[in-house]
Amino acid sequence: MSSTTAISGSSDARGERQIAAESALADPAGPARRRSIVLSQVGLTVILTVTVVLGLLIRDATGSPGVLLAGWILSLVVTSIAVVTPWSRILPQSPFALPLLNLLVIGLVRFGAGETLSGTGLLAALPAVWIAASHVRTATAVALTFGATSLLVSLPPILGGAPLLTGGLPGLVLLPVVLAGLTWFVSSLVRDNRGRQVALLASEGALRRSEKEARARERLLDTVLETVRVGLLAVDADGHDILMNARQRESHLAAAPEGNTDPSESDLLIFGPDGQTPLPPAERPVRRAIDGEDLESIQIWAGTPPMQRAISVSSTSLHDDDGAFAGTVVSFSDITELMLALQAKDRFLASVSHEFRTPLTSILGYLDVALELEAELPEQARHYLRVARRNALRLERLVEDFLAINAGTFEVNPVRTDVGLILAEAAESALVRATRAGLRLVNRAPASLPAVVDPDRLGQVVDNLLSNAMKYNRPGGCITLDAALDGTTLRIEVEDTGIGIAPEEVQHVFDRFFRSASVRSTGVTGVGLGLLITRSIVGEHNGSISVTSELGEGTCFTILLPQG
């Protein structure tokens, strides 16, 4: 007994953890459970009925027909209880009362049948299995089986008849121990099976929830993809399309040759930034992205006029858990309106630049005529005329630079030049305007500083930087011009104590038409081309220009030009 209880204890802990989960589950199989209980009871009653009939037919002196019939009647009562009880409305543990009553029935039938049907006691195995399969703890099932079977074995001696099993005391103990062991074994199997069923139900519930969440995420993703105004394409490592939103499908068809409703990538009409040069399939953005290249704002033109569209293409590679290339996501932004606006701006700038040439030519002509008469003019007037002519020539060069920006070319002719003189002339030209603005202009550059540069272009660069320093300064501020030859590099600095540039805008100061928010708020006029021209000229000298600035404190531009 103690060993059986100890063995059953190992499964109790596991069974106890399952009781709460099992009890918490609804009983969706209530009708099936009732049917199982009724069929089990009816089957046992049929067996007992056959046993009773046999006992009555071949009974011996040790039998008791009255007890035999009483056991059979009790079995009918138990069967009636099984049939009328609403098992789906009561706890799952309740049916274990039926096998206990059946054990009593088997005891009565065995006692009534006598020694003729001594094997009737083995029928106790059926209620024992039933108890083991009930929703009770293993230890409880073993204890109930052992106790009820012990009572069954002891009933004949108690009632004064022959013992149920021969063999004395060992015979009285053997059946309860065997059936208790059978109960423990079956209960353990049932517990494990129920545990797996509970886990399976939980897994199925989690799977259903996961599927529901996945469908919700898929609907959300589809909605987002179809809502965004950017074309999106996802391809796998082999270049096969995984996903394409409606916006990209429209762009894809817009680039298709006429009459081709399902073009491949190589069939699409894709052109370079000029909108005219066809791009070979290997150089197209999607092909480059499939090859593992991450793209950033690559401009192309898709289709042919008048429906041709400008597209900005970017891509990001996908990688699996091992870091291997698994595909790429490509985005397509329609920038046609922006490109058309920029083209209109360029055309306007070119038109205005051409219009400037006529009055500038007239101004320069009259200044040249006036300077031919310089002998008849006071020295101060001649000085003013020379300054005016020099700035008119620079204005003419600026107009030419506007045209050069549109053409994408700048002409630079470096020669041996006195940079100190160029900087002095630039400072002299800016001094009058600086004084009127209440600014102090300091030229710290050496009076003579030989270097190889384009004198006109360098003068234009310094004029641009000094002009900006005056525009974006404040009354009482200071502008410092400095230069030096550091080994094989000519360094020129223009520093001011003006309004400064915000950190997030510093990297954009050399962009075409860029004007910072702080500048726009001041009302200072400008088109945002001066620094672009300045950087282009410095670049043609194989040099570099950098800027450091602190908002509200001032700005410093540094030019480095290689010498040698």
Side-chain angles (χ1 to χ4, degrees):
M1 178 67 178
S2 60
S3 62
T4 304
T5 305
I7 294 174
S8 67
S10 62
S11 61
D12 283 347
R14 187 172 52 208
E16 289 172 1
R17 288 194 296 268
Q18 296 171 2
I19 291 297
E22 294 175 4
S23 299
L25 293 175
D27 190 11
R33 183 160 68 93
R34 181 180 184 279
R35 182 169 57 252
S36 176
I37 293 172
V38 171
L39 290 177
S40 298
Q41 180 60 41
V42 169
L44 181 58
T45 301
V46 170
I47 296 173
L48 289 172
T49 300
V50 173
T51 302
V52 169
V53 172
L54 291 175
L56 292 174
L57 292 175
I58 59 174
R59 66 180 184 275
D60 56 18
T62 62
S64 176
V67 176
L68 189 64
L69 290 174
W72 178 67
I73 293 172
L74 182 58
S75 71
L76 295 179
V77 173
V78 174
T79 302
S80 300
I81 294 173
V83 172
V84 301
T85 302
W87 297 109
S88 60
R89 300 180 185 177
I90 63 179
L91 294 175
Q93 295 89 339
S94 301
F96 82 88
L98 292 181
L100 291 178
L101 292 174
N102 284 322
L103 286 173
L104 177 59
V105 170
I106 293 170
L108 293 174
V109 170
R110 175 63 191 92
F111 178 73
E115 290 297 328
T116 304
L117 298 176
S118 60
T120 305
L122 296 178
L123 292 176
L126 298 178
V129 172
W130 193 339
I131 292 174
S134 300
H135 290 257
V136 294
R137 294 183 177 88
T138 300
T140 302
V142 170
L144 289 172
T145 301
F146 185 83
T149 309
S150 298
L151 180 61
L152 181 150
V153 172
S154 304
L155 188 60
I158 293 174
L159 297 178
L164 182 62
L165 292 177
T166 60
L169 183 61
L172 294 175
V173 176
L174 181 60
L175 184 62
V177 171
V178 170
L179 293 184
L182 177 63
T183 301
W184 169 80
F185 178 73
V186 174
S187 179
S188 298
L189 291 180
V190 170
R191 288 293 173 187
D192 289 341
N193 183 57
R194 285 178 182 154
R196 286 191 292 270
Q197 289 180 346
V198 170
L200 180 60
L201 289 174
S203 299
E204 290 177 351
L207 180 60
R208 286 193 293 270
R209 289 192 297 272
S210 298
E211 290 177 349
K212 185 177 180 180
E213 292 172 358
R215 288 194 295 270
R217 286 194 295 269
E218 184 178 358
R219 288 193 296 269
L220 175 62
L221 177 61
D222 290 341
T223 302
V224 171
L225 291 178
E226 300 305 326
T227 302
V228 296
R229 306 298 294 172
V230 175
L232 292 174
L233 171 67
V235 296
D236 60 19
D238 297 323
H240 300 135
D241 293 352
I242 301 174
L243 177 148
M244 181 186 295
N245 67 349
R247 185 77 171 184
Q248 178 54 20
R249 286 193 291 270
E250 294 175 3
S251 300
H252 193 74
L253 289 177
E258 186 175 356
N260 189 344
T261 58
D262 188 21
S264 63
E265 177 65 24
S266 59
D267 295 331
L268 297 178
L269 302 176
I270 304 296
F271 303 91
D274 61 359
Q276 299 178 355
T277 305
L279 282 180
E283 298 179 11
R284 296 182 179 185
V286 173
R287 181 71 261 173
R288 293 165 58 187
I290 293 173
D291 291 338
E293 183 177 353
D294 286 341
L295 307 178
E296 182 67 31
S297 301
I298 302 299
Q299 183 192 335
I300 60 172
W301 287 84
T304 56
M307 303 303 295
Q308 192 176 46
R309 309 299 294 176
I311 308 293
S312 176
V313 185
S314 299
S315 70
T316 302
S317 299
L318 301 175
H319 298 85
D320 59 21
D321 294 339
D322 297 327
F325 179 74
T328 186
V329 176
V330 189
S331 65
F332 303 82
S333 301
D334 191 328
I335 57 171
T336 306
E337 300 302 326
L338 174 62
M339 296 305 299
L340 293 178
L342 291 176
Q343 290 175 2
K345 226 175 203 184
D346 290 342
R347 288 193 297 269
F348 173 76
L349 184 60
S351 176
V352 170
S353 299
H354 281 293
E355 293 298 325
F356 279 173
R357 279 183 168 179
T358 300
L360 275 175
T361 301
S362 177
I363 291 171
L364 284 170
Y366 278 104
L367 286 173
D368 288 340
V369 171
L371 287 172
E372 289 176 358
L373 304 173
E374 62 178 347
E376 303 175 8
L377 298 174
E379 177 59 30
Q380 189 174 11
R382 292 196 299 272
H383 173 70
Y384 288 157
L385 287 174
R386 285 192 293 270
V387 172
R389 184 178 183 277
R390 183 168 65 248
N391 285 281
L393 288 171
R394 287 179 176 171
L395 182 58
E396 183 182 44
R397 177 60 64 85
L398 181 60
V399 170
E400 294 175 356
D401 289 342
F402 286 161
L403 298 175
I405 287 175
N406 289 333
T409 59
F410 272 93
E411 184 179 354
V412 172
N413 298 303
V415 295
R416 191 74 176 175
T417 304
D418 188 349
V419 174
L421 179 59
I422 295 173
L423 300 183
E425 290 178 350
E428 182 183 7
S429 297
L431 183 59
V432 174
R433 182 180 172 189
T435 302
R436 289 176 180 175
L439 302 172
R440 185 164 58 94
L441 177 59
V442 178
N443 180 15
R444 294 180 179 173
S448 177
L449 187 61
V452 177
V453 296
D454 184 319
D456 294 333
R457 291 297 189 183
L458 183 61
Q460 184 179 356
V461 165
V462 177
D463 284 344
N464 280 341
L465 295 179
L466 289 175
S467 176
N468 281 346
M470 289 185 286
K471 280 182 183 179
Y472 309 127
N473 218 317
R474 292 168 290 200
C478 179
I479 301 170
T480 303
L481 176 62
D482 198 1
L485 193 61
D486 300 332
T488 58
T489 302
L490 174 64
R491 175 180 54 81
I492 301 173
E493 290 184 353
V494 177
E495 185 177 5
D496 65 66
T497 58
I499 60 177
I501 307 170
E504 65 273 12
E505 296 179 333
V506 170
Q507 59 181 334
H508 299 293
V509 295
F510 297 107
D511 293 349
R512 178 181 292 199
F513 303 120
F514 175 78
R515 303 186 75 227
S516 68
S518 58
V519 168
R520 292 194 298 270
S521 64
T522 63
V524 177
T525 59
V527 295
L529 287 174
L531 290 177
L532 172 62
I533 294 172
T534 297
R535 186 181 64 176
S536 299
I537 293 173
V538 171
E540 290 296 328
H541 280 85
N542 296 319
S544 64
I545 180 171
S546 60
V547 56
T548 58
S549 183
E550 186 175 348
L551 197 62
E553 298 294 331
T555 304
C556 179
F557 286 89
T558 302
I559 299 171
L560 300 177
L561 302 177
Q563 301 293 305

